[in-house]
Amino acid sequence: MKNIVILISGSGSNMAAIAQAAQRDRWHEVFGARVVAVISNRPAATGLALAQGLGLATQVVDHTHFESREAFDAALAAAIDAHAPALVVLAGFMRILTPGFVRRFEDRLVNIHPSLLPAFPGLNTHQRAIDSGSRFAGATVHRVTAALDHGPILDQAVVPILPGDSAATLAARVLSQEHLIYPRAIASLLKK
Ligand code: NHR
Ligand code: GAR
């Protein structure tokens, strides 16, 4: 069995898109894969209730309870390891991971970032894309390496930046594409 663990911090819409694709496309039968747990670093993440509504087990590892990034990452790694995952999926997960954590899950760790990487890594992506005068924005699924938002690219989607866009209207347009490409990129990793 290929276990999938999804890490979230917020609304969890990418998590839900992946879990729904897994059910709809019968990943259990096709790939021997299943989403086994959703873990949030924020107890207030609304994605936790969404995951429970989809029948998924949830856990919280609250980063504010740890005095260093290393201590938080060690607790998070232990929670993940309990599921012996084939894939660890960052879906709106908002804590930078230490090199030790990345090494431990090397080749099993993927992220979706809401820009056309290598443009606009890091935070506040949408406003920076608008301010740059770019005509296009998008989303990128990539492998996670120690260098933030710089791992090998697995898939991308492009959307236009329209006159009058705010960060919020652009983010919504990008997010609807994320929900298509993230399940597709994960399915293609499970195929291997
Ligand atoms: N960790 C590593 N090592 N490499 C990557 O590529 C990572 C990663 C952890 C998260 C997601 C990423 C994104 O897609 C991601 C990629 C958080 C921050 C950040 O600055 C930056 C990028 C991403 C996620 N976080 C602040 C921090 O101090 C906290 C911000 C907050 O809590 O709101 O960790 O954009
Ligand atoms: C998504 O747009 C995701 O790409 C982005 O946050 C949103 C999370 O939405 N991720 C980051 O910015 C990571 N730093 P979701 O919780 O509804 O999936």
Side-chain angles (χ1 to χ4, degrees), residues 24-184:
R24 182 193 65 217
D25 299 335
R26 302 186 169 282
W27 287 3
H28 184 85
E29 289 164 32
V30 180
F31 304 126
R34 56 175 184 178
V35 179
V36 289
V38 173
I39 303 176
S40 174
N41 66 302
R42 291 203 184 121
T46 57
L48 287 166
L50 185 57
Q52 285 156 14
L54 290 165
L56 300 172
T58 61
Q59 271 171 275
V60 173
V61 183
D62 184 343
H63 67 276
T64 66
H65 293 177
F66 298 88
E67 61 184 19
S68 67
R69 284 188 190 266
E70 286 72 19
F72 167 67
D73 279 12
L76 182 62
I80 295 169
D81 269 341
H83 301 288
L87 219 47
V88 179
V89 173
L90 309 187
F93 181 72
M94 297 306 292
R95 298 299 299 175
I96 296 173
L97 297 162
T98 56
F101 181 100
V102 173
R103 219 176 303 120
R104 180 160 179 166
F105 297 105
E106 206 165 19
D107 300 328
R108 294 185 280 165
L109 203 47
V110 296
N111 178 46
I112 191 160
H113 180 74
S115 78
L116 290 175
L117 291 174
F120 313 117
L123 302 178
N124 198 23
T125 311
H126 302 295
Q127 192 59 52
R128 286 154 60 215
I130 291 168
D131 293 346
S132 74
S134 296
R135 263 37 174 187
F136 296 95
T140 303
V141 181
H142 65 95
R143 290 190 188 279
V144 172
T145 63
L148 187 68
D149 290 335
H150 277 77
I153 291 172
L154 298 170
D155 204 358
Q156 288 185 312
V158 180
V159 303
I161 297 178
L162 300 176
D165 259 342
S166 63
T169 60
L170 178 58
R173 191 175 309 120
V174 171
L175 190 60
S176 69
Q177 293 303 306
E178 294 182 43
H179 297 161
L180 299 177
I181 67 168
Y182 211 0
R184 189 172 77 196

